[in-house]
Amino acid sequence: GRSAELSPEHLLGDLLSLGSAASFATYGVLNRPLVKRYPTATYTAYTVLAGAVPLLVVSLPAALAQDWGAISVSSWMVMAYMIVLPVYVAYMVWNWGIARRGAAVASSFTLLVPMISGVLSALMFGEAFDAGKLIGAGLVLVGLLVLQRIPARD
């Protein structure tokens, strides 16, 4: 497990995670007028493309140094899956949800990500569920139920 000490590396990682969460939340709030105005697939394609361009620029040195012939077929399949499902399809569903329910309701379902990851880790890698994980999962489910019972104000 993670040590209780607060090292500069832990602090930097925590700050980057917090920045990532803030960026994702801002994206969800700012894009609602756009996803209501434009087709979900089209809007998602443009936002993914806009994000891919700076990523390609930053990753270009590593891409040029990569021995692409050494990558196995199964690794290419995993990369294709990562591009299609977790990136494009997930963002398309996310944008569709924001257009119809708003950023707050749509984002509440992201609370399921650690739970689903935990279940998949248990099934695929035999990772154990301890009491803390089970209590956390229960609290998330209760929170989602409460959020879904509150009437939306649009």
Side-chain angles (χ1 to χ4, degrees):
R2 182 176 165 174
S3 107
E5 72 180 72
L6 184 63
S7 69
E9 293 84 17
H10 288 151
L11 182 60
L12 177 60
D14 291 345
L15 289 173
L16 288 171
S17 294
L18 184 60
S20 174
S23 295
F24 190 68
T26 302
Y27 168 81
V29 171
L30 293 178
N31 81 358
R32 185 167 191 208
L34 297 171
V35 297
K36 288 181 110 178
R37 190 174 322 145
Y38 300 106
T40 305
T42 304
Y43 178 79
T44 303
Y46 280 114
T47 59
V48 169
L49 177 63
V53 171
L55 182 61
L56 287 171
V57 171
V58 169
S59 65
L60 188 60
L64 292 174
Q66 173 66 44
D67 180 7
W68 294 101
I71 298 175
S72 68
V73 172
S74 62
S75 293
W76 280 111
M77 291 172 61
V78 168
M79 283 192 282
Y81 164 81
M82 296 295 289
I83 291 166
V84 174
L85 272 149
V87 175
Y88 187 71
V89 173
Y91 270 97
M92 195 162 49
V93 171
W94 167 253
N95 288 328
W96 180 86
I98 287 174
R100 280 143 191 85
R101 300 287 309 268
V105 172
S107 66
S108 67
F109 287 98
T110 63
L111 296 171
L112 293 172
V113 171
M115 291 177 55
I116 294 169
S117 297
V119 170
L120 289 174
S121 293
L123 294 173
M124 296 173 74
F125 304 113
E127 191 171 309
F129 275 88
D130 59 16
K133 289 178 183 176
L134 292 173
I135 291 169
L139 290 171
V140 166
L141 290 174
V142 168
L144 282 171
L145 287 172
V146 169
L147 286 171
Q148 295 307 308
R149 298 188 75 73
I150 297 172
R153 290 183 290 158
D154 265 343

